[in-house]
Amino acid sequence: MRFIRDWRHAVSVLLVGLPLAAGLTPTGAAAAEVNVYTTREPGLIKPLFEAFTKQTGIEVRATFVQQGLAERVAAEGRNSPADLLTEADYGSLINLAERGLIQKIDSPILNTAVPAALRDPDGGWYALSMRARAIWVSKDRVSDQTLTYEGLADPRWKGRVCTRAGQHPYNIGLISRMMVKTGAEATGKWLAGVRANLGRKPGGGDRDVARDILAGICDIGIGNSYYVGLMRSGKGGKNQESWGNAIRVILPTFADDKGSHVDVSGAAVARFAPNKDNAVKLLEFMVGDEAQKIYAEIDYEYPVKEGAKIDPLIAALGKLKIDPEPLTAVAARRKEASQLVDKIGYDN
Amino acid sequence: MSAAVAVLVLAPVGGLVFFAAMGSGDLWPHLFANVLPTALRTTLVLLLGVGVVVAVVGVGAAWLVAMCRFPGRRWLEWALLLPLSIPTYIGAYAYLDVLHPVGPVQTGLRALFGLTDPRALWFPEIRSLPGAILVLGAVLYPYVYLPTRALFLMESASLFDAARSLGAGRWRTFLRVALPLSRPAVAAGVSLALLETLNDIGASSFLGVNTLTVSIYTTWTARSSIEGAAQIALVMLVVASALILLERRARHGKRFAAGGDAPPSARVPLSGAAAAAAAAFCALPVFVGFALPASYLLVQAWRRVSAFGLPVELGRWIANTVLLASIATGIAVAIALVLVYAARPLAGSGGGWRAAVPRIASLGYAMPGTVLAVGLLVPVAALDNLVDDAMRSLFGLSTGLLLSGSGAAVIFAYVLRFLAIPIGTIESGFAKIDPAIELSGRSLGAGAGRILLRIHAPLLRPAILAGALLVFVDCMKELPATLLLRPFDFETLATHIFAEAARGTYEDGAIAALAIVAVSLLPVAVVGLSGRGERSGQAFRARPAVAVGPA
Amino acid sequence: MTKRGKSVRIEGITKHYGSARVLDDLSIDIAPGEFCTFLGASGSGKTTLLKVMVGFEPFESGRVSIDGRDMCDVPVERRNIGMVFQNYALFPHMNVGANIGFGLEVRGMAKAAIARRVDDALAQVGLAGLAERPPAELSGGQQQRVALARALVIDPDILVMDEPLGALDKNLRHAIQLQLKQLHRALSLTIVYVTHDQDEALHLSDRIAIMDGGRIVQQGTPREVYFKPRTPFVATFLGECNIWNDAAGPLALRPEHVAVAKAEGASGPGVAVVEAVIFLGGGQKIVARDGDRQVTAIIPFPVGAPELQIGERIRYSYDDCSVHRFD
């Protein structure tokens, strides 16, 4: 084995013709490693990998790919070094499954830890953490204690709403779910109503919404739950702490009062994973108690595992009620939602 | 060699065609109805605005520092290059933060006026088309400043003397002689700046400006149609190439080889209000395009460092970034030298099609980095798999993914993306070398290779240096291709910044951003200093004449 | 165009480039209507002097006056000096007519009047009908004449020319020299001319100022400076000259004043050995050696006699009246 590795290094140096072999080794199967392609930001996911390595001795090599993860894996084909693919939203997970880039696994550990609604019915992908798409309001200027997503289109918010781009996956997810609930036409009306209420052009990130609320540009906006933890914890610096403290977080429901829009991050084992066993081990580790705790404490996400502890900053937001529409149904409307955003001209 | 390069350059286009061909085009009615009109209008306004800003600032500053004497001129002449070191996305983020109602500027203003409510003070919104024009214009004007200044200094000095001796004052000389003469340089510079604008995605999406490139991106990500994205990208590539071709045509025959070697006269001294205005005109772009974003980064990085210390991996990020950029620069310059050399008129038979290769090779500059990267994925991976299959069947051993696994793919992308730059500088350097020199070398019995190495390469050194430095800086700043094509577990400064930005922890990226600026400053300073003092430094013919199509 | 050119006075101009002194306390008066040539090797400061005079270059001390008026506060564009540049400096983006008309346009002249004046000027330099051409399509000589017409059409107080004929072939140069001479006489122009070509200076000038090291080392009519050089430098710079030492000190003798006769077998003073015979067309140049003295003589071809051969002995002689002693 060792010989083969060295030999392959030599060939790669010869073929590539660049003095890169030392620093950038071509990847391949090794005894104790697992390769991860992730659209999850490394800062959010790295602590997990470190814990995994500590526990198992298996080295995790992760590459953060923002877009094109699926395209890259597809192009690499049979020789892809990827073992585990992690994605930041369920739409991408479903996309991976539809394109046949992942493989089914049968793991009792995973099946027990992850509730059925939060994993691929076919055994492909598994959700690892959750976050709610919350409504943020100005602490000082808004007194409402409960709000619905539909309420964002209420004319009383005219000129007071801030969001990131409508085409961002976080918003596409919410709009898709609205479509599942109310149909395309009503969702179009709703989205046009929200657009009419905008206080500024959609753009930036969720945290910009909090900052703009602090600045008085808006009074109400949409943002993911974990950002509240990140801001309020002071991990992003003093400024962000002040943004986080300018808002009050409402975990809204749809008009049917069933629950909040929740998106998941998740992972799946790549179809041609060279280290499949290690990938499964890592995946199992990620739904274990220690990892779920890290998700909660470092990333301020909701653990998928029943009974895992939620970080106090997030727990303080109130009890999360999860909207029961199945993720697959929501994902099916994504393309339509995206076209709706275009039609309404939400981002223009 | 020329043929091989042409094929390689066209590889990402092939990749795009591959993706585009998989699509049915059923997205087009929707795109035409709802996306493209607005995106096109936004893009055109943005291009127009940035074009005007970079032309006015670039030409104006070049004229002032080249032809006039005023306090701070020597310093500003060099400092005007500094914004080259600021990536557009960093500029955009810095301005968003600094000019935000809760940022230092507005907070300061409110304190000044005794206002407490952030809403009480009206302030222009940076997250807008005008804001994007300002930010992009402020960091991109050096593309115009650099070649225009060189033209004013070297080619036309005696023409300005002639105009003045005929009674034309400063303004008339500028408007009637300098401006028309600088057209080729300005056109080249503006077209570069506009291609950068067209390709930009970081700054545009930060500032909520939905350009065509942003639409390509969202068509891929949100509309879940890489086929549609590739189709738009191909159309945009055709449009960009057509624009470049047009620019090339407009320039055709406009290369005025006037001026000769006569040393230019002393600069016109300005005094009083005129001197102050000139100094302000030149200092403002330096402030807006460099001083403010750089000091913003400095403050942010300092806060970060004093709270959490330096990131342990900083050294590795810098090493990775510099390594990739250096290798890509070396390869790009070498290829450019060979291509330009093969395309020169003296190359003899076969020069016809070879002359077109530098144009084709410049195509990469007209492609957004994201598009080029996605386009490269397919051919690179196909090649990798081909090699692997061959090795398996021959030796029963798997090589895995050599190119994409080793960083070679990133380097390949850099070279394709930025090859236009050294081609441009070396071409203009070549134009300055008397063909008789080569003839004399040949008559002394030297072959083509020896002539290239012993005669042309040393003579072209300033042009090569300028090209190399600019490619290096551009590679340092490159993001989308690095992100998509880099090997496992491999971070550069740019990918680290982006990762932090994606997470929203921009401050954590400040140190890496500052490192990019700092490392980029070195070559920028070298370019600047090499042209200082000697008013006829060839290094300043620098910026490329990017061109596609027949020369 | 009947007005008379104006006078130029240069007083005590000193200028440095960095630490190098390029003009050293230089003074000269140029009379109205005079054709004054600054002659010198490259680096002698002649072009810098020209630029100082026109106003392109600042200087540390001294004064430039035109027609008695100090030019200190008058910028180039208001000095009304016509200038012909070494490389012509024609505006490549304007056609010939626009080039010539540029100075008139600046002076606010009406379009029709400009067109008339441009046509006149073109006719004057023998380029009638070329107004629409771009400069790049003209020959060197034609470009030169366009540059001249452009400088003349503004009716300048002074016409300044910086090596204007350097790039032309000999015949063309001679033709334009002749034309220039005629123009000078016809227009009573004050012309300040810079060249490194001594023949050109001798042919054209009313007065020649020979420059070396940022100073004028001698000035005078062509005849004066040619026959009465004040220093060996001037003597050798202006045409060929034998510089010898005898008991009375150094002496200068023009080669055309040296007579040569065959002197087979002779030796002693006044006898030299031929080292080179150079065919000049109108005559021949003999270079011979008499001890450490190099003898150069220009003589007619001997009619009927055999030509001199290298290694042959000659006796050389000269009239004492032709000998010039330096002061």
Side-chain angles (χ1 to χ4, degrees):
Chain A
M1 194 69 186
R2 197 188 147 76
F3 165 76
I4 290 173
R5 255 178 88 78
D6 290 348
W7 182 85
R8 280 179 42 190
H9 273 195
V11 170
S12 72
V13 173
L14 275 175
L15 287 181
V16 179
L18 296 169
L20 286 176
L24 333 170
T25 53
T27 52
E33 68 176 32
V34 58
N35 298 322
V36 183
Y37 280 177
T38 172
T39 58
R40 218 65 236 278
E41 302 82 341
L44 292 177
I45 205 163
K46 224 164 195 160
L48 280 167
F49 295 157
E50 281 161 9
F52 176 69
T53 305
K54 212 192 251 167
Q55 192 185 77
T56 62
I58 299 172
E59 195 196 331
V60 182
R61 301 207 289 157
T63 298
F64 170 58
V65 183
Q66 220 256 340
Q67 282 302 335
L69 187 149
E71 281 75 19
R72 180 164 170 172
V73 175
E76 289 170 347
R78 174 169 44 72
N79 277 311
S80 175
D83 296 311
L84 193 67
L85 311 174
T86 78
E87 292 274 13
D89 65 287
Y90 64 84
S92 309
L93 289 166
I94 290 170
N95 181 38
L96 288 177
E98 282 172 353
R99 296 179 64 169
L101 298 172
I102 58 179
Q103 55 178 301
K104 289 169 192 172
I105 44 176
D106 190 20
S107 156
I109 298 179
L110 286 169
N111 291 342
T112 355
V114 184
L118 295 176
R119 57 182 150 92
D120 186 353
D122 297 332
W125 52 267
Y126 296 82
L128 300 170
S129 66
M130 296 184 293
R131 71 264 179 173
R133 196 94 182 115
I135 290 180
W136 298 350
V137 298
S138 164
K139 216 176 223 171
D140 306 327
R141 301 184 295 272
V142 177
S143 58
D144 302 60
Q145 297 299 316
T146 58
L147 286 165
T148 61
Y149 294 109
E150 284 86 344
L152 287 167
D154 188 329
R156 78 180 167 117
W157 301 119
K158 189 154 188 62
R160 298 166 73 186
V161 177
C162 279
T163 72
R164 72 192 310 160
Q167 287 291 5
H168 192 276
Y170 295 166
N171 284 337
I172 292 294
L174 176 60
I175 299 164
S176 305
R177 194 180 293 265
M178 186 66 87
M179 279 189 161
V180 172
K181 299 225 161 235
T182 67
E185 200 179 321
T187 305
K189 267 197 198 131
W190 167 72
L191 193 61
V194 178
R195 182 180 188 271
N197 285 343
L198 289 175
R200 63 151 166 86
K201 241 180 124 155
D206 281 354
R207 264 180 275 204
D208 291 301
V209 171
R211 175 163 64 170
D212 287 346
I213 288 176
L214 171 64
I217 295 173
C218 324
D219 292 335
I220 180 169
I222 313 177
N224 280 349
S225 51
Y226 56 86
Y227 285 121
V228 179
L230 284 172
M231 288 189 289
R232 288 186 179 167
S233 67
K235 281 182 187 166
K238 277 253 172 313
N239 285 346
Q240 290 201 16
E241 208 176 326
S242 68
W243 309 345
N245 290 328
I247 57 168
R248 193 154 46 74
V249 180
I250 295 171
L251 293 175
T253 62
F254 291 84
D256 61 11
D257 199 29
K258 286 184 180 158
S260 301
H261 169 63
V262 167
D263 200 345
V264 301
S265 76
V269 176
R271 176 157 169 224
F272 295 108
N275 307 294
K276 185 187 168 186
D277 293 347
N278 289 348
V280 174
K281 268 188 212 154
L282 177 55
L283 196 48
E284 288 172 350
F285 173 82
M286 287 165 100
V287 298
D289 292 333
E290 187 184 353
Q292 290 287 300
K293 194 171 152 224
I294 291 175
Y295 269 119
E297 283 178 356
I298 294 183
D299 300 346
Y300 303 100
E301 296 202 86
Y302 293 101
V304 286
K305 190 172 188 180
E306 206 72 44
K309 200 169 165 284
I310 300 170
D311 186 88
L313 280 172
I314 300 300
L317 304 180
K319 176 141 180 58
L320 176 69
K321 255 197 310 183
I322 302 173
D323 186 81
E325 302 294 342
L327 291 176
T328 40
V330 176
R333 306 298 286 265
R334 276 163 46 96
K335 201 161 179 170
E336 210 183 328
S338 162
Q339 297 200 359
L340 183 65
V341 170
D342 290 335
K343 264 185 214 136
I344 301 285
Y346 188 84
D347 290 340
N348 297 333
Chain B
M1 169 83 185
S2 296
V5 170
V7 168
L8 288 179
V9 168
L10 292 173
V13 181
L16 285 184
V17 171
F18 172 82
F19 280 124
M22 294 193 311
S24 56
D26 57 351
L27 201 60
W28 279 93
H30 168 71
L31 292 175
F32 265 122
N34 302 307
V35 180
L36 293 181
T38 324
L40 206 60
R41 198 171 50 239
T42 307
T43 305
L44 288 179
V45 175
L46 183 70
L47 289 178
L48 191 72
V50 172
V52 169
V53 170
V54 297
V56 169
V57 173
V59 178
W63 172 253
L64 288 172
V65 300
M67 305 312 294
C68 300
R69 201 150 38 122
F70 53 88
R73 190 204 66 81
R74 275 181 68 82
W75 184 81
L76 285 167
E77 180 169 32
W78 172 79
L80 277 160
L81 290 172
L82 293 178
L84 271 181
S85 65
I86 305 280
T88 49
Y89 50 93
I90 289 177
Y93 186 71
Y95 271 94
L96 183 53
D97 215 26
V98 169
L99 297 183
H100 195 271
V102 296
V105 170
Q106 292 206 46
T107 309
L109 283 176
R110 283 195 303 270
L112 199 66
F113 298 127
L115 302 168
T116 47
D117 182 357
R119 279 181 292 191
L121 181 78
W122 183 86
F123 199 83
E125 174 61 80
I126 190 83
R127 282 170 293 196
S128 61
L129 201 47
I133 290 171
L134 175 85
V135 170
L136 289 171
V139 297
L140 293 178
Y141 76 84
Y143 288 92
V144 180
Y145 168 75
L146 208 56
T148 311
R149 195 191 79 123
L151 187 99
F152 286 158
L153 282 184
M154 295 174 37
E155 302 211 55
S156 330
S158 69
L159 295 175
F160 306 143
D161 285 355
R164 293 183 63 214
S165 79
L166 291 169
R170 287 195 298 268
W171 279 107
R172 193 188 292 263
T173 306
F174 177 66
L175 292 175
R176 289 276 282 127
V177 182
L179 218 46
L181 276 177
S182 63
R183 215 176 72 189
V186 175
V190 168
S191 71
L192 281 176
L194 292 189
L195 285 173
E196 292 277 352
T197 306
L198 197 62
N199 298 349
D200 169 76
I201 195 160
S204 308
S205 49
F206 258 141
L207 300 175
V209 176
N210 293 304
T211 60
L212 267 180
T213 304
V214 174
S215 319
I216 293 177
Y217 199 66
T218 50
T219 299
W220 176 18
T221 59
R223 296 179 196 100
S224 313
S225 169
I226 190 162
E227 302 81 18
Q231 288 162 358
I232 308 178
L234 282 174
V235 173
M236 198 173 99
L237 187 62
V238 171
V239 173
S241 308
L243 281 175
I244 293 167
L245 198 69
L246 228 84
E247 184 265 333
R248 190 80 180 179
R249 279 277 151 81
R251 239 163 11 123
H252 192 64
K254 297 286 188 210
R255 277 219 147 266
F256 306 124
D261 301 325
S265 302
R267 296 184 169 89
V268 182
L270 301 179
S271 55
F281 185 91
C282 294
L284 193 66
V286 179
F287 176 77
V288 176
F290 178 75
L292 190 142
S295 31
Y296 167 81
L297 287 180
L298 209 57
V299 169
Q300 293 292 331
W302 173 248
R303 274 192 200 154
R304 198 67 209 163
V305 170
S306 50
F308 302 98
L310 275 175
V312 284
E313 288 160 309
L314 183 65
R316 219 180 67 208
W317 299 331
I318 293 178
N320 286 346
T321 309
V322 171
L323 179 70
L324 286 184
S326 312
I327 295 172
T329 303
I331 295 174
V333 167
I335 291 178
L337 194 60
V338 172
L339 288 188
V340 174
Y341 191 64
R344 79 203 187 287
L346 276 177
S349 62
W353 69 268
R354 283 202 192 94
V357 173
R359 304 282 77 74
I360 298 170
S362 304
L363 205 63
Y365 208 82
M367 263 185 260
T370 324
V371 170
L372 182 129
V374 179
L376 261 185
L377 260 182
V378 174
V380 163
L383 187 65
D384 271 342
N385 284 322
L386 200 72
V387 170
D388 182 67
D389 288 345
M391 295 308 279
R392 269 179 213 242
S393 58
L394 287 175
F395 303 105
L397 287 164
S398 166
T399 55
L401 302 173
L402 285 177
L403 288 173
S404 41
S406 67
V410 182
I411 291 169
F412 186 27
Y414 285 174
V415 171
L416 293 191
R417 179 98 172 78
F418 301 123
L419 194 52
I421 293 169
I423 284 180
T425 58
I426 293 173
E427 264 184 345
S428 56
F430 245 114
K432 287 246 137 184
I433 296 177
D434 187 346
I437 290 182
E438 177 173 354
L439 293 179
S440 76
R442 280 196 190 168
S443 72
L444 293 170
R450 187 184 297 269
I451 287 175
L452 177 60
L453 284 178
R454 291 290 309 280
I455 299 179
H456 283 130
L459 285 173
L460 286 170
R461 225 188 60 169
I464 292 174
L465 189 72
L469 297 174
L470 292 166
V471 175
F472 183 80
V473 173
D474 269 333
C475 289
M476 294 264 311
K477 298 190 284 188
E478 208 287 334
L479 177 63
T482 321
L483 207 53
L484 191 58
L485 298 172
R486 75 195 196 283
F488 257 133
D489 207 11
F490 183 88
E491 297 295 329
T492 67
L493 290 168
T495 62
H496 170 72
I497 295 169
F498 193 77
E500 296 296 354
R503 197 177 148 210
T505 47
Y506 307 102
E507 298 77 4
D508 292 359
I511 297 165
L514 195 66
I516 287 192
V517 173
V519 179
S520 303
L521 271 182
L522 290 174
V524 170
V526 172
V527 175
L529 293 174
S530 71
R532 212 170 175 181
E534 43 152 346
R535 291 192 65 182
S536 56
Q538 204 177 23
F540 270 91
R541 301 216 16 115
R543 212 51 198 192
V546 175
V548 178
Chain C
M1 289 205 225
T2 50
K3 79 170 196 187
R4 208 171 142 74
K6 293 188 173 155
S7 68
V8 183
R9 164 170 285 190
I10 308 277
E11 291 167 274
I13 297 283
T14 298
K15 175 173 176 64
H16 291 82
Y17 280 135
S19 62
R21 178 174 297 199
V22 283
L23 293 176
D24 186 2
D25 193 21
L26 189 147
S27 302
I28 189 171
D29 274 320
I30 300 167
E34 190 175 16
F35 194 130
C36 178
T37 299
F38 290 93
L39 176 66
S42 59
S44 60
K46 56 191 193 302
T47 295
T48 307
L49 176 63
L50 205 70
K51 288 193 160 181
V52 161
M53 191 185 300
V54 178
F56 288 131
E57 291 282 355
F59 46 90
E60 291 105 47
S61 60
R63 189 210 306 253
V64 175
S65 328
I66 292 177
D67 200 23
R69 189 174 155 214
D70 187 352
M71 288 288 114
C72 175
D73 291 327
V74 183
V76 179
E77 55 266 28
R78 293 220 300 276
R79 292 192 185 187
N80 202 36
I81 296 177
M83 181 154 180
V84 178
F85 291 78
Q86 192 170 3
N87 52 36
Y88 318 137
L90 298 181
F91 304 126
H93 58 296
M94 300 180 189
N95 65 25
V96 166
N99 260 284
I100 298 177
F102 183 80
L104 300 175
E105 177 200 314
V106 169
R107 285 162 176 75
M109 188 180 280
K111 273 209 169 114
I114 292 179
R116 218 165 34 241
R117 289 278 291 273
V118 167
D119 286 344
D120 289 349
L122 276 172
Q124 195 172 29
V125 295
L127 293 177
L130 295 187
E132 301 298 324
R133 294 273 199 90
E137 287 180 15
L138 302 185
S139 70
Q142 288 172 322
Q143 290 187 22
Q144 207 286 329
R145 281 179 283 168
V146 172
L148 183 60
R150 184 176 70 176
L152 284 176
V153 80
I154 61 170
D155 216 353
D157 293 338
I158 300 156
L159 178 65
V160 164
M161 306 179 87
D162 184 8
E163 307 244 13
L165 307 181
L168 304 180
D169 66 60
K170 195 176 167 194
N171 286 337
L172 203 53
R173 210 156 60 216
H174 284 276
I176 294 181
Q177 280 172 6
L178 206 64
Q179 214 172 6
L180 209 53
K181 248 341 224 187
Q182 285 162 352
L183 273 172
H184 174 232
R185 244 196 321 273
L187 305 177
S188 305
L189 282 165
T190 304
I191 297 183
V192 180
Y193 198 95
V194 158
T195 184
H196 66 271
D197 179 335
Q198 69 246 14
D199 287 334
E200 197 166 292
L202 293 170
H203 295 172
L204 288 171
S205 321
D206 295 330
R207 181 155 48 134
I208 296 175
I210 295 162
M211 290 191 63
D212 185 35
R215 293 167 161 276
I216 294 174
V217 291
Q218 187 173 357
Q219 54 172 302
T221 63
R223 197 170 283 267
E224 277 167 5
V225 291
Y226 189 79
F227 289 116
K228 294 195 165 39
R230 205 175 291 154
T231 62
F233 169 79
V234 174
T236 47
F237 192 75
L238 263 185
E240 271 186 286
C241 198
N242 292 295
I243 307 283
W244 297 332
N245 280 299
D246 65 5
L251 68 88
L253 184 66
R254 293 289 173 191
E256 55 271 29
H257 293 152
V258 178
V260 168
K262 291 202 176 211
E264 228 162 307
S267 64
V271 175
V273 180
V274 175
E275 291 184 331
V277 178
I278 295 152
F279 177 66
L280 293 180
Q284 58 184 335
K285 180 157 92 178
I286 311 294
V287 180
R289 180 153 298 282
D290 172 14
D292 53 5
R293 186 184 269 190
Q294 181 177 295
V295 180
T296 306
I298 292 175
I299 56 170
F301 290 111
V303 182
E307 285 187 27
L308 284 169
Q309 299 297 321
I310 290 172
E312 227 175 317
R313 283 170 188 277
I314 51 164
R315 185 173 296 282
Y316 64 94
S317 59
Y318 49 89
D319 191 336
D320 276 343
C321 316
S322 350
V323 170
H324 171 71
R325 300 266 173 199
F326 303 109
D327 304 331

